């Protein structure tokens, strides 16, 4: 079906997206994972999907999360490293396991988004929204658009220094931990299981004292997250939520119904604490949407048009997304003259919900619209409704509609 008249109205649709995002931020309250504001935003968008988008089947589902766990590992790891630095001078053999445990916890919680220590933190209730727009005839294919309604707590260092300062801070902590790990191993090899007061003339002791320069950075990491300030999350990620909503609303406004393509929107909460909403959705719907070819596109932080990207790898580069889906979006963007790149979410880049869908056995790819070298607005108070990019939103919307059109034509099955 030709959807050109919807694509041609991309600027008008972008303004609708901006206006509704502004309304949510002003009326629903702060949307940190498991909060009342997150729930209200889910309920609001569920109502929009039902009344304005023509979705016959709209569900709001709850699940349990432990919001502070995703950043809580930092306090354990930094504590282990600081203790390891102290023990290096008196019993270096104990420093080795402390640092190794710290690295292991970092890899599990941040590198792989595993629930390694979730049970140690307070439990809350988060929410997902699933909305389906049926087609007129027999369902032969299905396309689902995904975004996450929750917003994160502020990263003060990124706000103060930008991405270079933020990432540089984290890298210095890693270098410091490796520094003392190497020194501890050398010390044990040289002196065995030695205990007692350090020999101040020993070169290893002097190297250990020189390494104390890393301590302020390690302590500083305790303050990486400011739990007292929840950002507005206009770009990250109400823009992603509204890609699917806007497509469905535009179809209804134009009186267009597809013959054999079913369209869905999934809003998965608690993405900012390790893709918990998407993981919960996969657990709740393991086989429900596998009856026909189904594509899931996860949109996240649609802002600067020059950074619109189809991501072929996700979750710090460890998860391979569906290349056919990413190719389809890239080709659709080219077809409507929208600049788009092929790329990946790199190591230390985090993840979008597509990773959880892929891990759950679904065909999915992530679409992002931000510089993976962190911008100052990312996870800070600058991510508000006054800082959205209308052109970036319009371009992504146009590419998304074209993706739907090409998918509906059966170009990719």
């Amino acid at each position: 079906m030709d959807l050109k008249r919807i694509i041609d109205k991309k600027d008008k649709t972008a303004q609708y997206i901006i206006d509704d995002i502004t309304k949510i931020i002003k009326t629903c309250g702060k949307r940190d994972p498991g909060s009342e504001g997150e729930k209200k935003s889910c309920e609001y968008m569920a109502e929009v999907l039902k009344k304005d988008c023509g979705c016959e089947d709209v569900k709001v589902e709850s699940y349990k999360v432990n919001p502070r766990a995703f950043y809580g590992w930092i306090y354990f790891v930094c504590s282990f490293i600081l203790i390891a630095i102290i023990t290096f001078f008196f019993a270096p053999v104990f420093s080795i396991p402390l640092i190794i445990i710290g690295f292991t916890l970092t890899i599990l919680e941040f590198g792989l988004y595993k629930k390694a220590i979730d049970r140690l933190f307070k439990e809350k209730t988060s929410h997902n929204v699933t909305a389906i727009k049926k087609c007129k005839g027999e369902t032969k294919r299905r396309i689902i658009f995904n975004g996450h309604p929750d917003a994160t707590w502020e990263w003060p260092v990124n706000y103060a220094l930008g991405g270079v300062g933020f990432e540089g801070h984290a890298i210095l902590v890693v270098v410091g931990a490796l520094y003392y790990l190497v020194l501890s191993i050398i010390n044990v090899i040289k002196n065995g299981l030695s205990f007692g007061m350090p020999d101040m003339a020993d070169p290893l002791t002097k190297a250990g004292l020189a390494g104390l320069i890393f301590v302020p950075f390690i302590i500083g990491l305790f303050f990486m997250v400011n739990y007292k300030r929840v950002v507005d999350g206009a770009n990250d990620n109400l823009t992603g939520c509204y890609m699917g909503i806007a497509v469905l609303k535009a179809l209804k406004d134009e009186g267009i119904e597809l013959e054999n393509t079913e369209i869905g929107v999934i809003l998965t909460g608690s993405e900012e604490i390790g893709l918990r909403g998407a993981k919960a959705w996969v657990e709740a719907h393991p086989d429900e949407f596998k009856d026909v070819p189904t594509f899931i596109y996860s949109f996240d932080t649609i802002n600067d048009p020059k950074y619109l990207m189809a991501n072929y790898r996700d979750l710090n580069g460890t998860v391979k997304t569906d290349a056919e889906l990413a190719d389809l979006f890239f080709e659709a963007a080219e077809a409507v003259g929208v600049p788009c790149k092929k790329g990946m979410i790199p190591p230390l880049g985090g993840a979008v919900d597509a990773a959880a869908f892929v891990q759950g056995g679904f065909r999915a790819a992530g679409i992002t619209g931000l510089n993976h070298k962190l911008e100052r607005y990312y996870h800070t108070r600058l991510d508000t409704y006054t800082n959205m990019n209308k052109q970036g939103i319009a371009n992504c919307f146009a590419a998304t509609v074209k993706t739907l059109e090409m998918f509906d034509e059966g170009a990719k099955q």
Side-chain angles (χ1 to χ4, degrees):
M1 179 173 286
D2 186 356
L3 301 179
K4 184 177 183 301
R5 66 180 186 268
I6 291 179
I7 295 171
D8 288 344
K9 296 179 180 179
K10 63 179 184 178
D11 292 330
K12 180 180 178 181
T13 299
Q15 190 58 54
Y16 158 74
I17 290 172
I18 291 171
D19 290 344
D20 235 38
I21 287 174
T22 301
K23 182 178 179 180
I24 288 175
I25 291 172
K26 288 183 175 181
T27 61
C28 290
K30 298 301 183 180
R31 307 185 321 279
D32 47 309
S35 67
E36 184 65 21
E38 182 196 52
K39 179 184 178 184
K40 286 181 178 179
S41 68
C42 284
E43 292 172 340
Y44 174 82
M45 286 184 279
E47 195 67 15
V48 170
L49 284 161
K50 186 182 298 183
K51 290 186 175 181
D52 299 341
C53 302
C55 293
E56 302 90 346
D57 184 12
V58 182
K59 297 177 182 176
V60 179
E61 300 172 301
S62 64
Y63 53 94
K64 299 299 181 182
V65 292
N66 309 82
R68 297 288 181 99
F70 186 68
Y71 293 112
W73 62 270
I74 295 172
Y75 308 120
F76 286 93
V77 171
C78 289
S79 296
F80 292 159
I81 295 173
L82 289 173
I83 295 171
I85 291 173
I86 295 171
T87 57
F88 167 77
F89 294 102
F90 305 99
V93 68
F94 294 118
S95 300
I96 298 172
L98 283 168
I99 296 174
I100 290 175
I101 291 171
F103 276 121
T104 301
L105 191 55
T106 301
I107 292 170
L108 289 173
E109 278 286 349
F110 177 71
L112 302 175
Y113 282 26
K114 299 293 185 181
K115 299 179 181 179
I117 58 171
D118 285 40
R119 294 182 180 181
L120 300 179
F121 294 84
K122 184 179 178 180
E123 187 176 77
K124 289 189 175 184
T125 302
S126 188
H127 294 82
N128 290 336
V129 177
T130 304
I132 300 297
K133 178 69 174 71
K134 301 291 185 181
C135 51
K136 291 191 297 183
E138 177 189 356
T139 301
K140 294 183 179 180
R141 63 189 69 86
R142 181 183 297 109
I143 189 166
I144 297 174
F145 303 114
N146 163 247
H148 71 85
D150 61 304
T152 191
W153 303 278
E154 184 168 67
W155 291 357
V157 175
N158 196 41
Y159 176 67
L161 303 177
V164 174
F166 178 84
E167 293 179 349
H169 180 198
I171 290 171
L172 281 171
V173 173
V174 172
V175 171
L178 287 172
Y179 180 83
Y180 278 100
L181 177 61
V182 171
L183 285 184
S184 298
I185 292 172
I186 294 173
N187 201 322
V188 170
I189 292 173
K190 178 181 177 182
N191 300 316
L193 305 180
S194 59
F195 299 90
M197 297 298 293
D199 178 2
M200 303 307 291
D202 188 333
L204 284 173
T205 301
K206 292 181 179 179
L209 290 172
L212 293 178
I213 192 174
F214 292 109
V215 170
F217 298 100
I218 297 169
I219 294 174
L221 209 60
F222 280 98
F223 305 96
M224 172 186 162
V225 181
N226 177 12
Y227 286 112
K228 294 182 179 180
R229 181 185 289 273
V230 181
V231 307
D232 286 343
N235 294 285
D236 184 15
N237 181 38
L238 289 178
T239 55
C241 293
Y242 267 83
M243 278 302 131
I245 292 173
V247 169
L248 282 171
K249 184 177 185 300
L251 288 171
K252 185 181 180 185
D253 289 347
E254 293 293 332
I256 297 174
E257 291 191 44
L258 303 183
E259 185 67 34
N260 301 115
T261 300
E262 187 173 276
I263 306 173
V265 169
I266 303 173
L267 309 177
T268 41
S270 294
E271 187 269 357
E272 297 290 4
I273 55 169
L275 315 182
R276 298 308 191 237
K279 290 175 182 287
W281 190 92
V282 166
E283 291 176 3
H285 306 273
D287 302 307
E288 192 173 338
F289 295 94
K290 295 181 179 178
D291 53 330
V292 296
T294 299
F295 285 10
I296 301 177
Y297 286 98
S298 295
F299 296 90
D300 206 316
T301 316
I302 306 304
N303 185 271
D304 195 326
K306 68 175 175 286
Y307 293 120
L308 184 63
M309 181 179 292
N311 292 279
Y312 289 74
R313 299 195 72 87
D314 208 317
L315 189 52
N316 296 305
T318 65
V319 173
K320 185 178 180 181
T321 61
D322 194 301
E324 189 177 357
L325 275 72
D327 284 343
L328 177 59
F329 186 89
F330 181 80
E331 292 164 11
E334 282 193 322
V336 293
V338 167
C340 185
K341 300 178 181 179
K342 294 183 178 182
M344 62 178 283
I345 298 180
L348 303 181
V352 302
D353 281 322
F357 291 121
V358 170
Q359 290 175 326
F362 290 87
R363 301 186 65 181
I367 307 300
T368 53
L370 78 162
N371 186 355
H372 287 312
K373 295 180 180 179
L374 299 184
E375 302 281 0
R376 188 164 169 254
Y377 75 85
Y378 185 73
H379 287 191
T380 74
R381 67 195 71 179
L382 300 178
D383 186 8
T384 186
Y385 56 85
T386 60
N387 191 27
M388 288 188 280
N389 190 308
K390 186 175 179 178
Q391 183 185 347
I393 293 170
N395 283 4
C396 186
F397 173 77
T400 303
V401 174
K402 190 63 177 180
T403 300
L404 170 61
E405 179 185 293
M406 293 170 67
F407 182 70
D408 180 58
E409 291 171 351
K412 298 286 183 179
Q413 293 189 30

